[in-house]
Amino acid sequence: MIPQLSLTEILLILVVAMLLFGAGRLPEIGRSLGEGIRNFKRAFSGEEEKVKEVKGQEVKKGEKS
């Protein structure tokens, strides 16, 4: 189970990230992370549609028999 993060913990993580990567690189890292998440969601939803499509074809085959 994923624990809930408080505001203090989130701020601490952001400060550590700024120290590690610098303030100039953080927007670039955020963009890259967001793009990766979007691509993952897009790929995942595409796979769900394929599974539904295959299941629909199996049902149609079963009805014909």
Side-chain angles (χ1 to χ4, degrees), residues 3 5 8 12 16 23 25 31 35 40 44 46 53 60 62-63:
L5 295 177
T8 307
L12 181 63
V16 170
R25 292 254 342 239
R31 255 189 310 272
E35 185 178 326
F40 178 77
F44 186 75
E53 203 174 283
K60 288 179 183 176
E63 290 176 354

Side-chain angles (χ1 to χ4, degrees), residues 10-30:
I10 293 172
L11 290 175
L12 181 63
I13 291 169
L14 289 174
V15 168
V16 170
M18 281 183 54
L19 290 173
L20 288 175
F21 300 111
R25 292 254 342 239
L26 284 180
E28 180 183 331
I29 293 170

Side-chain angles (χ1 to χ4, degrees), residues 34-52:
E35 185 178 326
I37 291 171
R38 265 184 262 120
N39 288 336
F40 178 77
K41 285 182 178 181
R42 199 174 302 133
F44 186 75
S45 67
E47 290 299 318
E48 281 183 338
E49 289 174 12
K50 287 180 185 177
V51 168
K52 288 178 184 178

